[in-house]
Amino acid sequence: RLQESRERLSVCSKLCYAVGGAPYQITGCALGFFLQIYLLDVAQVDAFYASIILFAGRVWDAITDPMVGFFISKTPWTRFGRLMPWIMVSTPFAIISYFLIWFVPDISTGQVLWYLVFYCAFQTLVTCFHVPYSALTMFISREQSERDSATAYRMTVEVLGTVLGTAIQGQIVGKVDTPCIQSPFFFSLTNSSVAMEELNMTHDTESLTDTRNAYMIAAGVIVGLYVLCALILVLGVKERRESSELQSDEPVSFLQGLKLVMNHGPYIKLIAGFLFTSLAFMLLEGNFALFCTYTLGFRNEFQNILLAIMLSATLTIPFWQWFLTRFGKKTAVYVGISSAIPFLITVVLVDSNLFVTYVVAVAAGISVAAAFLLPWSMLPDVVDDFKLQHPSSHGHEAIFFSFYVFFTKFTAGVSLGISTLSLDFAGYQTRGCSQPDQVNFTLKMLVSAVPVGLILLSLLLFKLYPIDEEKRRKNKKALQDLR
């Protein structure tokens, strides 16, 4: 009882730990929703080069996770811990590179290289923050219940971070109208085409200055939040070496550890299940705006519908934390993730109805909350199970977490590629007021049929996941005895 009392975390410690998850989500949302529009309309980068910047950044972001995991496993312990120094050192460089992403350099050549370098640099530096932060779950307490509780706090703050990132960027930038250039077809029908073009270019330059300033102001606000959250994390959380290591620990090389981790059955089954779950929700997230705009006809309601999803997810995370504590994590997976299925089917079968769309958004947010919370709550259980099977091997927590993040980001790239190719084959019309029937059918498939199929497949994989509540209790007792 004394040992358990010492392992308990105060509410303040859990909140400080949770706040550390906000920078990754705030910056990720701002980049995810606005970077493409910024590159095309504000920085005026050619669409081909903009696609190279975005694709290269996503690929590099995925590659850096296992790389950072490797270097963390080689990092010696310091008086600040083994993970905290990574967070402290990466923060100042990350905020500089993030700010420069939203700055338009006054250069005629090299602009593409500018954005490519700083986008990839920021992805590297934010990975140096987020991977050790994710692995920190194993070093704040040895008690599973305390880690689960801290994870619930973290997921609530991270979902709030997605809302905050979207709101800050959207509200600041949305107050300025970004100009558009009339099409050449319009000029050919106008008698004074040269005068009209000069007028548009003059208005374009004046308005772009305001738009560029708005993007930099938004970046400054987000950078300030990044620093504040990092300070709260570093000052409010203590990394405990004894929380993870066992009495019989001996160092094992990274490659040996990687081989052991990838041969650990529960880990493979867990990440396989969440891979398909992540792919399902990312397909839904990536295409929901187009679906609302063209298929349902709610062009001016997208931001409100997105806000409904995020608020629903934020408010229901405490419920899922209670649910998994009361009924078990595997039960929470089945109920939470599958709850979106009937609503995803309804939204494509029922005629365009704004009320039904909001109901579906709230239901999707409930499932998003479960998909946010459960992987990070279940990964520590897999690490504990691994330690019991390999008591002489330690220091592999970063491998478990970094490769899960790697696979998640990989699915994001896959979902983006599948969506773009599918819409292109269907005949998607860029900036069209309406879309062909084939595009509407494709959008229905991407937000309903395909996600439902992927969710059902993930539930079958979770059926094979061996760590239930009884297994967790046995592992907990065995770890206490081993320590």
Side-chain angles (χ1 to χ4, degrees):
R1 289 179 180 175
L2 287 174
Q3 179 66 27
E4 290 184 2
S5 177
R6 286 195 297 268
E7 291 293 336
R8 288 192 177 279
L9 298 172
S10 65
V11 174
C12 181
S13 295
K14 293 176 184 177
L15 286 173
C16 291
Y17 167 75
V19 166
Y24 181 77
Q25 298 297 337
I26 293 174
T27 56
C29 255
L31 289 169
F33 284 113
F34 294 95
L35 183 59
Q36 185 179 32
I37 298 174
Y38 168 80
L39 291 174
L40 294 174
D41 294 345
V42 181
Q44 296 183 326
V45 176
D46 183 81
F48 174 74
Y49 293 111
S51 65
I52 292 177
I53 293 169
L54 294 170
F55 178 74
R58 283 177 177 269
V59 171
W60 180 248
D61 186 23
I63 293 173
T64 54
D65 287 289
M67 289 173 56
V68 171
F70 168 77
F71 289 117
I72 289 175
S73 68
K74 296 295 183 182
T75 303
W77 279 87
T78 67
R79 65 190 185 95
F80 299 106
R82 189 173 69 178
L83 304 174
M84 282 297 187
W86 282 82
I87 295 172
M88 291 186 287
V89 173
S90 66
T91 295
F93 298 101
I95 62 175
I96 292 172
S97 59
Y98 179 81
F99 186 79
L100 292 176
I101 290 174
W102 304 104
F103 175 75
V104 180
D106 188 17
I107 52 178
S108 57
T109 59
Q111 194 178 40
V112 174
L113 184 62
W114 172 282
Y115 290 113
L116 183 61
V117 168
F118 286 111
Y119 185 41
C120 290
F122 175 73
Q123 297 291 8
T124 303
L125 291 163
V126 78
T127 298
C128 291
F129 181 103
H130 191 64
V131 170
Y133 170 74
S134 301
L136 189 62
T137 309
M138 300 301 301
F139 293 87
I140 56 177
S141 176
R142 285 186 293 194
E143 284 296 313
Q144 292 177 347
S145 59
E146 292 301 299
R147 295 198 304 245
D148 290 344
S149 177
T151 300
Y153 278 79
R154 170 193 164 188
M155 291 301 107
T156 303
V157 173
E158 287 197 359
V159 176
L160 280 171
T162 62
V163 177
L164 197 58
T166 307
I168 291 173
Q169 194 86 2
Q171 292 299 316
I172 295 177
V173 174
K175 291 181 178 179
V176 180
D177 292 328
T178 303
C180 60
I181 300 173
Q182 297 289 345
S183 66
F185 177 73
F186 176 81
F187 291 139
S188 66
L189 299 178
T190 308
N191 293 329
S192 55
S193 60
V194 176
M196 180 66 71
E197 185 172 0
E198 289 178 355
L199 178 62
N200 282 334
M201 294 303 293
T202 302
H203 174 60
D204 178 54
T205 303
E206 293 175 352
S207 300
L208 270 184
T209 302
D210 295 335
T211 305
R212 290 171 179 176
N213 290 337
Y215 272 97
M216 292 181 66
I217 292 171
V221 174
I222 290 176
V223 159
L225 288 174
Y226 194 117
V227 174
L228 178 62
C229 293
L231 284 174
I232 292 173
L233 173 66
V234 171
L235 297 177
V237 177
K238 181 181 179 182
E239 183 181 350
R240 304 177 184 180
R241 184 173 186 175
E242 69 278 1
S243 292
S244 177
E245 295 185 351
L246 305 177
Q247 295 176 354
S248 57
D249 282 340
E250 294 178 4
V252 177
S253 71
F254 176 82
L255 291 178
Q256 289 175 316
L258 179 60
K259 183 178 179 180
L260 290 173
V261 168
M262 289 304 167
N263 287 329
H264 190 57
Y267 180 65
I268 298 301
K269 292 168 184 174
L270 183 69
I271 62 172
F274 278 114
L275 268 181
F276 289 107
T277 302
S278 299
L279 184 55
F281 284 105
M282 287 175 183
L283 281 172
L284 179 63
E285 177 187 18
N287 295 282
F288 200 67
L290 295 173
F291 178 73
C292 290
T293 301
Y294 295 112
T295 306
L296 299 181
F298 302 137
R299 182 179 295 273
N300 298 323
E301 289 289 333
F302 163 65
Q303 291 183 345
N304 295 330
I305 295 171
L306 179 64
L307 185 62
I309 293 174
M310 292 304 175
L311 287 176
S312 172
T314 304
L315 295 174
T316 51
I317 280 184
F319 164 77
W320 287 119
Q321 172 60 22
W322 168 84
F323 189 95
L324 68 86
T325 304
R326 178 68 177 82
F327 299 102
K329 297 179 182 179
K330 287 190 70 172
T331 305
V333 167
Y334 297 139
V335 176
I337 295 176
S338 64
S339 63
I341 292 177
F343 297 96
L344 293 179
I345 296 173
T346 301
V347 77
V348 298
L349 295 180
V350 177
D351 291 336
S352 179
N353 186 297
L354 187 59
F355 175 76
V356 172
T357 305
Y358 273 104
V359 171
V360 171
V362 172
I366 295 172
S367 285
V368 166
F372 252 77
L373 173 65
L374 289 165
W376 301 109
S377 180
M378 297 170 78
L379 274 171
D381 300 335
V382 173
V383 177
D384 286 343
D385 187 73
F386 175 84
K387 287 177 180 177
L388 286 174
Q389 296 188 26
H390 306 279
S392 62
S393 179
H394 73 92
H396 307 308
E397 293 82 3
I399 298 176
F400 280 96
F401 287 88
S402 64
F403 272 90
Y404 171 72
V405 175
F406 166 78
F407 288 126
T408 303
K409 291 177 179 177
F410 176 77
T411 59
V414 170
S415 66
L416 180 65
I418 291 174
S419 302
T420 306
L421 286 175
S422 300
L423 293 173
D424 184 48
F425 289 145
Y428 179 80
Q429 301 295 319
T430 304
R431 295 184 179 180
C433 295
S434 61
Q435 296 294 339
D437 292 338
Q438 296 91 332
V439 172
N440 291 326
F441 176 77
T442 303
L443 286 170
K444 288 182 179 180
M445 296 293 291
L446 290 173
V447 302
S448 179
V450 178
V452 167
L454 291 169
I455 288 173
L456 292 174
L457 182 57
S458 69
L459 293 177
L460 289 176
L461 291 171
F462 283 125
K463 189 72 175 176
L464 304 175
Y465 178 66
I467 303 178
D468 53 16
E469 291 307 297
E470 182 180 357
K471 179 72 171 175
R472 286 181 64 232
R473 286 192 291 269
K474 289 181 179 178
N475 285 351
K476 178 181 176 181
K477 187 175 187 310
L479 281 173
Q480 290 175 341
D481 295 340
L482 189 57
R483 289 191 179 105

